Amino acid sequence: MKNIEILEKANTAVAAGDYESFLSFCTENTKWVFVGEQTLYGKDAVRKYIKQTYLEPPRFNVEKMIEGGDHVTAIGEITLKDKDGNESHYHYCDVWRFESSKMAELNAFVIPINK
């Protein structure tokens, strides 16, 4: 399976709220860098982040995916709900690095959309 197909399956799992299936696509020592914000190290840190952030499954609008070598870049918009049900909208550009058909590293550039 191509890396772009792996990312598409992983994103489908997140959108369905199946976070453990999503995590199965990540390496144990996955590293997530939210540029300018925070860095998460390892699957357990990502699991904790997802539990705190994805109170409801996020809604994605993937505008473009580009695969090259061991990287896949996804560009689009994401909508998240907070504990009060308020929605926040963001532009994002995720650059994923793959190792042995698993998502090993993420560099995420996330910018709020003022609606």
Side-chain angles (χ1 to χ4, degrees):
M1 184 179 331
K2 291 184 175 185
N3 291 335
I4 200 166
E5 295 169 327
I6 294 166
L7 181 56
E8 287 169 341
K9 285 186 179 234
N11 281 344
T12 298
V14 168
D18 188 357
Y19 305 130
E20 287 303 315
S21 287
F22 169 80
L23 288 168
S24 74
F25 291 101
C26 296
T27 61
E28 285 300 319
N29 63 343
T30 192
K31 176 182 174 186
W32 286 21
V33 178
F34 294 94
V35 176
E37 187 180 328
Q38 66 177 320
T39 301
L40 306 174
Y41 297 95
K43 214 182 255 194
D44 287 337
V46 172
R47 184 179 284 111
K48 182 179 177 182
Y49 170 84
I50 287 172
K51 186 176 180 179
Q52 292 172 343
T53 306
Y54 298 165
L55 303 178
E56 289 187 17
R59 291 193 320 268
F60 291 96
N61 178 21
V62 180
E63 296 168 7
K64 189 180 299 182
M65 291 181 107
I66 305 162
E67 183 173 10
D70 60 355
H71 286 82
V72 175
T73 300
I75 301 166
E77 294 181 4
I78 185 171
T79 300
L80 301 171
K81 279 191 180 179
D82 66 17
K83 62 180 174 31
D84 297 321
N86 299 313
E87 292 186 341
S88 297
H89 308 276
Y90 303 92
H91 294 288
Y92 75 89
C93 177
D94 287 349
V95 181
W96 290 94
R97 184 178 59 79
F98 286 75
E99 284 179 7
S100 303
S101 300
K102 296 261 186 178
M103 298 182 303
E105 186 172 347
L106 166 66
N107 283 284
F109 301 83
V110 183
I111 302 166
I113 299 173
N114 296 323
K115 288 193 174 187

